[in-house]
Amino acid sequence: NAGVMQNPRHLVRRRGQEARLRCSPMKGHSHVYWYRQLPEEGLKFMVYLQKENIIDESGMPKERFSAEFPKEGPSILRIQQVVRGDSAAYFCASSSVGPSVIYEQYFGPGTRLTVT
Amino acid sequence: TQLLEQSPQFLSIQEGENLTVYCNSSSVFSSLQWYRQEPGEGPVLLVTVVTGGEVKKLKRLTFQFGDARKDSSLHITAAQPGDTGLYLCAGGGGSYIPTFGRGTSLIVHP
């Protein structure tokens, strides 16, 4: 299966711990997007990355959240000192081209973060 | 800021019924995507429409892009329980990031 992979699928953290969410894009895709989704809500954009570059992080909180997409390996969304309000589903999507007339994205299955 | 309004927010119907869901904006989009998301899974791309007035069919699903490229509709004929899910529209154009609507949650009862 060459689809977008995310792990872990479920992550439980206590308040104050760190959460690390991983995303491997589809083969051949070099553009990665991270989204957050709360129940009964749509997708909230967080950050857009290309290999070794953060292109747009306007949707990501300035504190405690960071993202990277290294030359080798998966993209990682890191949340430090988690709080209960961070509990949500986090989705990664990848695309083969950058912004163009077509914005098709392919999503992973998501990581469900629960902060206790 | 580009916004996409989806309606209705919730829809509960019986198997075999037809339905239409809408995606509206005051902004023009260069393209528009429809996704279906099942509980516990990520959204799955169904279709992309690019040209104003374009109609695309995917089995029992018919997608239409408005002439002015500001709105779109999804019509499902003879709905089946397997159609249950959250239907999201997303529009592109004007920035790096597609704009997502909040979705229509569809339940089809057997």
Side-chain angles (χ1 to χ4, degrees):
Chain A
N1 186 346
V4 179
M5 297 175 65
Q6 288 188 251
N7 66 79
R9 292 291 305 270
H10 300 275
L11 182 61
V12 180
R13 285 287 178 265
R14 291 198 182 98
R15 279 180 298 171
Q17 291 185 320
E18 177 179 285
R20 280 196 180 198
L21 288 60
R22 295 175 184 77
C23 168
S24 296
M26 281 182 73
K27 190 176 182 180
H29 286 192
S30 59
H31 302 262
V32 167
Y33 303 75
W34 284 93
Y35 294 87
R36 171 184 156 124
Q37 186 178 43
L38 291 170
E40 309 301 333
E41 291 191 11
L43 293 163
K44 300 292 186 188
F45 164 76
M46 298 182 73
V47 60
Y48 162 45
L49 311 103
Q50 295 178 23
K51 286 279 187 182
E52 299 185 278
N53 282 306
I54 297 174
I55 307 302
D56 188 325
E57 55 183 348
S58 59
M60 200 157 66
K62 296 277 189 286
E63 297 180 357
R64 302 189 299 108
F65 286 73
S66 62
E68 63 178 10
F69 189 14
K71 187 176 180 180
E72 302 290 338
S75 174
I76 295 177
L77 178 67
R78 185 182 292 110
I79 311 173
Q80 295 178 305
Q81 299 176 317
V82 296
V83 300
R84 288 216 173 109
D86 296 332
S87 296
Y90 292 85
F91 291 96
C92 164
S94 72
S95 64
S96 60
V97 296
S100 68
V101 67
I102 295 177
Y103 286 73
E104 294 179 342
Q105 297 186 333
Y106 297 85
F107 284 82
T111 293
R112 273 119 193 110
L113 173 65
T114 302
V115 179
T116 61
Chain B
T1 302
Q2 295 178 314
L3 293 174
L4 278 170
E5 299 286 340
Q6 290 193 245
S7 61
Q9 189 175 355
F10 299 100
L11 194 53
S12 179
I13 62 172
Q14 293 297 127
E15 182 175 2
E17 293 184 24
N18 301 331
L19 66 118
T20 302
V21 298
Y22 300 92
C23 176
N24 296 300
S25 177
S26 58
S27 303
V28 176
F29 290 97
S30 58
S31 71
L32 195 139
Q33 286 76 39
W34 283 93
Y35 296 83
R36 179 170 64 216
Q37 182 179 20
E38 298 184 12
E41 298 296 331
V44 175
L45 179 65
L46 296 175
V47 77
T48 294
V49 286
V50 178
T51 306
E54 182 176 4
V55 176
K56 282 192 173 179
K57 292 193 175 184
L58 184 66
K59 297 184 180 178
R60 295 176 292 99
L61 279 61
T62 301
F63 305 85
Q64 184 162 7
F65 202 13
D67 291 341
R69 291 185 287 131
K70 292 182 179 182
D71 54 84
S72 181
S73 64
L74 159 59
H75 181 80
I76 302 179
T77 304
Q80 299 178 0
D83 296 326
T84 292
L86 179 68
Y87 288 82
L88 294 161
C89 66
S95 79
Y96 295 123
I97 313 303
T99 300
F100 278 85
R102 293 181 62 143
T104 292
S105 181
L106 170 66
I107 298 175
V108 182
H109 300 279

